């Protein structure tokens, strides 16, 4: 007889793997489908707020995690033109400070933890069709020439906002000059203090840097499509990422000083367009989490944390409403989730949009000079972004 899973989770990134692990821990029969093989390199800021580390498998204070991750981030910085300023990172009471860890290491650990809790992991298998049959969702997944069907009472979509799939329409929209394209690369032998995570801003974009462990510096940034084209015209022959970095270094003394003598590791990664905002959280019997539910500008470095927190929030509600959800009546849970999600994340997404607008303005250095006079504004902004958020329950 065909097994009918309680829930099918599509996508094994931070949101999907967290949801699969937490629901498996709560006794649900979970199937987790991921099209990519892990470990994988992916565009990501790689920082995890301290409060979100409680959602990691195992003990985030254990030696293994501390070795794999970068040092505690106790200061937040701002690099704009010749302005270089830093301030204390807001302290999460009873928790401490956040750290950064390579996305490749994090995802592999999360999906392994979900499997150890009992989730049935299908990887690398790609979802090709999802339809409703009687009282269950039926997913067709493929790996090479092989195809399988998975039955589940409920579905959680956690496949990311810019993946090419039926849940996200990011790529269906026409390209615009103001589209934000994201880039990332690792470096070694840099000059950045280990406890500092600076934001850097330049006309037409913004980015950040942080140490992720094993001596690696992660540099990531977003740049407008039209600005990127001007960078490529000014620096022909190289990659788009390298052309943009040369433009950033010319604009920003802090980035230039940090990378003086640094050695690049690996090739440039690119993604996009990045179109932050609030999206659907529940529709037609499907729950959406991670960036599919809503996405903040990466300027606040909360992508991983918000993905894991949204999965945690969804799992809380599904467990509360378990009888109704597994009986095929998920609408109430969907309504509650949508409301709680908005209360939890909407303010942070709006704050991030404001920060991004200010950072990309041609006269952003005027604001940076004000911050240099009042560095506590940096601490306040980091608090607004959720760096000291306390998770309840």
């Amino acid at each position: 007889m065909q097994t009918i899973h309680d829930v099918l989770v599509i996508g094994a990134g931070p949101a999907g793997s967290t949801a699969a692990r937490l629901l498996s821990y709560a006794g649900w029969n979970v199937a987790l489908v991921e099209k990519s093989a892990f470990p994988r390199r992916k565009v990501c800021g790689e920082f995890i707020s301290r409060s979100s580390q409680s959602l990691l498998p195992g003990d985030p204070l254990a030696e293994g995690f501390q070795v794999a991750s970068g040092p505690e981030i106790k200061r937040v910085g701002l690099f704009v033109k010749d302005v270089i300023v830093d301030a204390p990172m807001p302290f999460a009471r009873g928790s401490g400070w956040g750290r950064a860890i390579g996305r490749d290491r994090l995802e592999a650990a999360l999906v392994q933890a979900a499997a150890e809790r009992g989730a049935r992991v299908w990887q690398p298998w790609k979802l090709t069709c999802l339809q409703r049959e009687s009282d269950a969702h039926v997913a067709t997944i493929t790996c090479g020439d092989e195809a399988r069907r998975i039955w589940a009472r409920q579905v959680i979509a956690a496949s990311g906002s810019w993946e090419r799939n039926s849940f996200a329409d990011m790529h269906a929209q026409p390209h615009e000059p103001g589209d934000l394209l994201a880039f990332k690369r690792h470096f070694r032998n840099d000059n950045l203090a280990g406890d500092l995570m600076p934001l850097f801003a330049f006309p037409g974009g913004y980015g950040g840097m942080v140490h992720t462990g094993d001596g690696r510096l992660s540099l990531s940034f977003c740049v407008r499509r039209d600005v990127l084209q001007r960078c490529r015209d000014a620096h022909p022959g190289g990659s788009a990422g390298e052309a943009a970095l040369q433009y950033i270094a010319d604009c920003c003394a802090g980035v230039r000083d940090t990378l003086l003598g640094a050695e690049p590791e690996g090739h440039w990664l690119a993604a996009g367009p990045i179109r932050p905002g609030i999206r659907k959280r529940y529709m037609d019997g499907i729950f959406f989490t991670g960036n599919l539910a809503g996405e903040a500008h990466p300027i606040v470095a909360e992508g991983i944390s918000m993905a894991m927190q949204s999965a945690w929030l969804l799992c809380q509600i599904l467990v509360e409403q378990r009888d109704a959800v597994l009986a095929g009546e998920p609408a109430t849970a969907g309504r509650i989730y949508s409301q709680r999600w908005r209360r939890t994340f909407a303010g942070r997404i709006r704050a991030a949009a404001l920060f991004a607008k200010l950072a990309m303005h041609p006269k952003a250095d005027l604001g940076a000079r004000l911050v240099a006079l009042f560095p506590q504004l940096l601490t306040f902004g980091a608090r607004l972004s959720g760096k000291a958020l306390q998770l309840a329950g």
Side-chain angles (χ1 to χ4, degrees):
M1 296 182 63
Q2 175 62 48
T3 298
I4 300 181
H5 296 275
D6 293 328
V7 63
L8 166 65
V9 181
I10 302 168
S17 290
T18 297
R21 176 170 56 87
L22 294 180
L23 288 177
S24 295
Y25 182 78
W28 292 48
N29 186 333
V30 179
L32 175 61
V33 173
E34 168 57 50
K35 67 182 180 63
S36 301
F38 288 173
R40 65 176 173 181
R41 300 179 66 226
K42 192 171 184 179
V43 177
C44 176
E46 303 189 315
F47 177 77
I48 306 177
S49 296
R50 180 65 184 92
S51 57
S52 296
Q53 291 176 21
S54 63
L55 298 176
L56 294 173
D59 181 4
L61 297 178
E63 182 179 354
F65 175 73
Q66 295 188 35
V67 170
S69 62
E72 290 184 323
I73 302 301
K74 299 182 180 180
R75 293 182 294 153
V76 58
L78 179 64
F79 297 167
V80 183
K81 289 192 175 179
D82 61 342
V83 176
I84 298 176
V85 59
D86 66 82
M89 182 70 78
F91 184 77
R93 186 169 52 189
S95 298
W97 291 273
R99 295 174 180 263
I101 184 170
R103 180 69 178 256
D104 49 348
R105 299 170 179 168
L106 175 67
E107 287 186 324
L110 289 176
V111 75
Q112 179 181 347
E116 290 173 352
R117 281 297 182 185
R120 174 68 166 92
V121 178
W122 297 83
Q123 186 183 33
W125 287 74
K126 181 179 180 180
L127 175 72
T128 57
C129 180
L130 182 66
Q131 57 191 12
R132 187 80 182 184
E133 290 185 7
S134 185
D135 59 346
H137 298 271
V138 183
T140 302
I141 60 175
T142 60
C143 181
D145 295 331
E146 188 176 0
R148 297 284 182 89
R149 302 182 81 195
I150 299 176
W151 280 257
R153 294 181 175 87
Q154 299 301 329
V155 172
I156 295 175
S159 51
S161 61
W162 51 270
E163 295 285 349
R164 296 179 183 272
N165 55 46
S166 58
F167 301 118
D169 59 359
M170 295 290 99
H171 294 282
Q173 301 179 29
H175 289 175
E176 300 289 345
D179 286 344
L180 283 176
L181 304 178
F183 292 84
K184 168 187 161 184
R185 196 175 194 181
H186 287 136
F187 293 83
R188 292 187 181 275
N189 299 321
D190 59 275
N191 303 305
L192 185 70
D195 69 338
L196 176 64
M197 182 170 67
L199 160 70
F200 58 84
F202 53 93
Y206 58 80
M209 297 181 284
V210 68
H211 285 110
T212 63
D214 192 29
R216 295 193 303 181
L217 174 79
S218 178
L219 180 144
S220 56
F221 60 84
C222 292
V223 58
R224 284 172 55 106
R225 189 186 299 276
D226 52 355
V227 173
L228 178 63
Q229 185 57 54
R230 291 200 294 270
C231 294
R232 302 199 73 174
D233 292 341
H235 303 282
S239 68
E242 197 60 36
L245 182 59
Q246 290 188 48
Y247 165 67
I248 294 168
D250 290 341
C251 294
C252 186
V255 174
R256 187 167 60 249
D257 294 345
T258 295
L259 297 181
L260 183 64
E263 303 166 3
E265 179 179 272
H267 55 79
W268 282 100
L269 302 180
I274 307 296
R275 295 194 174 107
I278 299 173
R279 308 186 181 101
K280 55 194 174 186
R281 281 85 70 199
Y282 171 81
M283 186 175 69
D284 298 333
I286 299 176
F287 296 88
F288 299 87
T289 192
N291 284 354
L292 276 182
E295 184 175 5
H297 270 272
I299 193 169
V300 295
E302 283 292 295
I304 294 176
S305 292
M306 287 182 60
M308 296 176 67
Q309 290 168 17
S310 67
W312 161 79
L313 179 65
L314 173 59
C315 291
Q316 276 196 323
I317 294 165
L318 291 178
V319 171
E320 290 172 3
Q321 300 288 321
R322 174 173 183 147
D323 292 344
V325 169
L326 296 186
E329 300 174 0
T332 297
R335 184 177 66 254
I336 295 172
Y337 171 57
S338 296
Q339 293 170 348
R340 291 188 191 174
W341 188 99
R342 181 174 285 274
R343 287 199 302 267
T344 303
F345 298 110
R348 294 158 69 181
I349 289 177
R350 296 190 185 102
L354 174 61
F355 296 157
K357 184 176 181 179
L358 294 173
M360 292 189 289
H361 195 277
K363 296 185 177 179
D365 60 310
L366 297 179
R369 298 186 193 284
L370 176 64
V371 172
L373 294 175
F374 303 98
Q376 60 268 30
L377 291 173
L378 276 179
T379 304
F380 177 70
R383 188 176 296 277
L384 282 182
S385 71
K387 295 295 187 296
L389 177 72
Q390 298 293 313
L391 301 185

